[in-house]
Amino acid sequence: MLMKPTLMMAALVSVFSLSTTAAAAVSDNEIRIGYLADMSGPYRDPIGPKGMDAIQMAIDDFGGEINGAKIITFSADDRNNADLGSSIVRGWIDQDKVDMVTGLIASSVTLASIKLLEENNKLGLVNGAVSSSITNQHCGPNHFHWVYDTWAMSNGTASAITQEGNKSWFLLSADYSFGHALEKDVEQVVKANGGNIVGKVRHPFPSTDFASFMLQAQSSGAKVISLNNAGTDTTNAIRTASEFGITQAGQILAGMVVFSSDVRSLGLETAQGLQFTKAWYYDINPEARAWAERFKKITGTMPTMVHAGLYSSTRHYLQAVKDTGTDDTQTVRKKMMETPVNDIFAKNAYIREDGRMVHDMYLVRVKTPQESTDEDDLFEIVRTIPADKAFRPLSESVCNMVNK
């Protein structure tokens, strides 16, 4: 008995639909990722162009495609300018149909970008920006904060140093949103642990001349000088402190955002003894070291914690796309939140309702030249800060997505 034409057509359509569901669910049959970062300024070395290599490593893990949909990337230098950065993101959304934007280094650029991403229902994976407001005052349903934030960095370092009896602090901060947020968080942690702030000064971003700022810090008599900056601002400040004999005279330098590339640039002779909090280090376990060596073969240098975060967050995103068969923002976001993070960056980590990826952090000390066994042996892990203690508790959150 012959099948009626209408039934035959329906059957063929049904079979065709089943065979192409995965591909059709991915918009334009391409998964499009934008990498926005500082490629030429103070964050070039610790993040910059090599961040794209980390992202590509995650893409290569999937063979460059998912369910037949190719993974396409775009990258741009935002020059730490919020207007330029938001213009690039808008172009990616409107013209290039980007599904996800990652990198997002300067806090000012990030805050402008995540607003656009939310307005257009695209996903943002924040890896470089440090301001804790990204998942607090500025939390939203379209972005996650992956590597670190000012609350975690300040809480880990400032609380440990203050609890050791170093009660008087001088705060040197970069004069923009990131520096302001870090300054506020450090001050709160110091005071909560019985310390006091004896002085503050803010420097232009970026800055090459720290002489006057370090003289103020030195003359304040503070036991601890908090460097609430990052990138070349941090390394320039540390070099100036060394030239002035500040640490030799007994004052402590506390770096709030320090990268392995910073320590390598400074050299152990200059950076030795510096304590700070890290989100990741390539010697935390053999798996991390193996991935780092793979990264080094590609780039010529060992990765920073942000490079590892870029790989981890991109891989987690792509796995969610694969598992759901779609690049629909909210479907992928939900899957990412449901799935624990277990990779080279973190173990048994998870994404909270405010968008904060919660994982262990590490308080480290820079080794002396005598303690180091090779050019990549830079840190001693002083202690592990458990995930549930590392980030701002939800009970203190002002995020409107948090149910208290």
Side-chain angles (χ1 to χ4, degrees):
M1 181 177 180
L2 295 175
M3 185 180 290
K4 292 182 179 180
T6 52
L7 292 176
M8 183 181 294
M9 181 61 71
L12 288 171
V13 169
S14 178
V15 171
F16 179 79
S17 297
L18 287 171
S19 66
T20 59
T21 296
V26 173
S27 57
D28 304 313
N29 202 33
E30 289 182 345
I31 302 156
R32 300 179 180 181
I33 298 172
Y35 173 54
L36 187 66
D38 171 15
M39 303 290 197
S40 54
Y43 303 128
R44 172 184 169 80
D45 291 339
I47 307 171
K50 291 176 184 175
M52 192 65 238
D53 293 307
I55 292 168
Q56 189 59 50
M57 288 172 70
I59 293 171
D60 290 345
D61 286 351
F62 289 84
E65 62 178 37
I66 293 175
N67 300 331
K70 289 185 177 180
I71 304 168
I72 308 298
T73 58
F74 304 83
S75 64
D77 184 354
D78 59 35
R79 300 179 186 176
N80 295 307
N81 183 290
D83 290 337
L84 176 59
S86 57
S87 176
I88 291 168
V89 172
R90 187 180 296 279
W92 280 346
I93 293 170
D94 294 342
Q95 299 164 25
D96 300 309
K97 309 303 179 185
V98 160
D99 301 299
M100 183 270 279
V101 175
T102 188
L104 301 169
I105 312 305
S107 296
S108 56
V109 175
T110 299
L111 293 175
S113 298
I114 60 176
K115 183 178 180 181
L116 281 173
L117 293 170
E118 183 172 346
E119 289 172 355
N120 292 274
N121 194 30
K122 302 297 182 181
L123 189 63
L125 301 183
V126 181
N127 280 277
V130 196
S131 176
S132 61
S133 69
I134 291 167
T135 52
N136 197 30
Q137 298 96 313
H138 301 290
C139 71
N142 288 76
H143 67 271
F144 296 139
H145 201 176
W146 210 261
V147 178
Y148 46 33
D149 62 34
T150 51
W151 196 96
M153 303 299 266
S154 61
N155 188 66
T157 306
S159 61
I161 294 176
T162 307
Q163 288 169 14
E164 288 172 3
N166 306 296
K167 302 295 186 179
S168 59
W169 286 64
F170 184 94
L171 309 183
L172 173 61
S173 310
D175 194 9
Y176 72 112
S177 56
F178 151 64
H180 301 170
L182 195 50
E183 177 186 280
K184 179 181 178 182
D185 286 341
V186 171
E187 184 167 0
Q188 288 178 342
V189 172
V190 169
K191 289 182 176 178
N193 284 278
N196 63 298
I197 309 301
V198 300
K200 301 179 189 178
V201 65
R202 291 174 174 175
H203 66 80
F205 168 73
S207 187
T208 56
D209 185 2
F210 281 85
S212 63
F213 305 122
M214 279 302 171
L215 285 172
Q216 290 181 61
Q218 190 175 43
S219 63
S220 73
K223 183 62 178 176
V224 186
I225 301 171
S226 176
L227 304 180
N228 306 320
N229 48 24
T232 55
D233 284 337
T234 297
T235 56
N236 287 334
I238 293 172
R239 284 195 182 96
T240 304
S242 179
E243 291 168 3
F244 287 179
I246 286 177
T247 54
Q248 294 90 326
Q251 286 178 294
I252 297 170
L253 281 184
M256 292 300 145
V257 182
V258 181
F259 299 95
S260 54
S261 57
D262 297 333
V263 174
R264 191 172 285 106
S265 172
L266 288 164
L268 296 183
E269 191 65 44
T270 300
Q272 61 181 298
L274 182 69
Q275 289 193 26
F276 54 94
T277 301
K278 288 181 68 65
W280 178 87
Y281 178 42
Y282 43 76
D283 274 337
I284 55 174
N285 58 51
E287 185 184 0
R289 183 70 187 214
W291 179 84
E293 293 291 354
R294 177 182 158 201
F295 180 93
K296 187 176 182 179
K297 286 182 179 179
I298 296 169
T299 66
T301 61
M302 294 296 267
T304 66
M305 54 187 166
V306 175
H307 293 145
L310 285 164
Y311 170 84
S312 170
S313 58
T314 302
R315 196 176 188 284
H316 199 67
Y317 167 77
L318 293 175
Q319 187 64 53
V321 172
K322 182 177 181 179
D323 290 345
T324 59
T326 181
D327 59 357
D328 173 72
T329 297
Q330 294 307 319
T331 302
V332 172
R333 179 182 185 275
K334 183 173 183 291
K335 186 63 177 178
M336 291 178 72
M337 293 186 70
E338 292 173 349
T339 307
V341 179
N342 283 296
D343 57 20
I344 60 95
F345 183 81
K347 300 298 181 187
N348 301 314
Y350 58 94
I351 301 172
R352 289 192 320 201
E353 58 197 274
D354 59 349
R356 172 70 258 171
M357 202 279 271
V358 179
H359 54 87
D360 291 346
M361 298 284 286
Y362 307 91
L363 181 68
V364 303
R365 178 185 64 83
V366 177
K367 291 185 175 182
T368 65
Q370 294 73 30
E371 292 171 325
S372 177
T373 58
D374 59 53
E375 64 177 3
D376 295 322
D377 184 22
L378 305 176
F379 310 114
E380 172 195 6
I381 296 179
V382 178
R383 61 172 169 152
T384 297
I385 305 169
D388 61 345
K389 303 293 183 183
F391 295 93
R392 185 195 311 275
L394 288 177
S395 60
E396 297 178 10
S397 175
V398 298
C399 172
N400 57 19
M401 298 190 300
V402 173
N403 296 314
K404 294 186 179 179

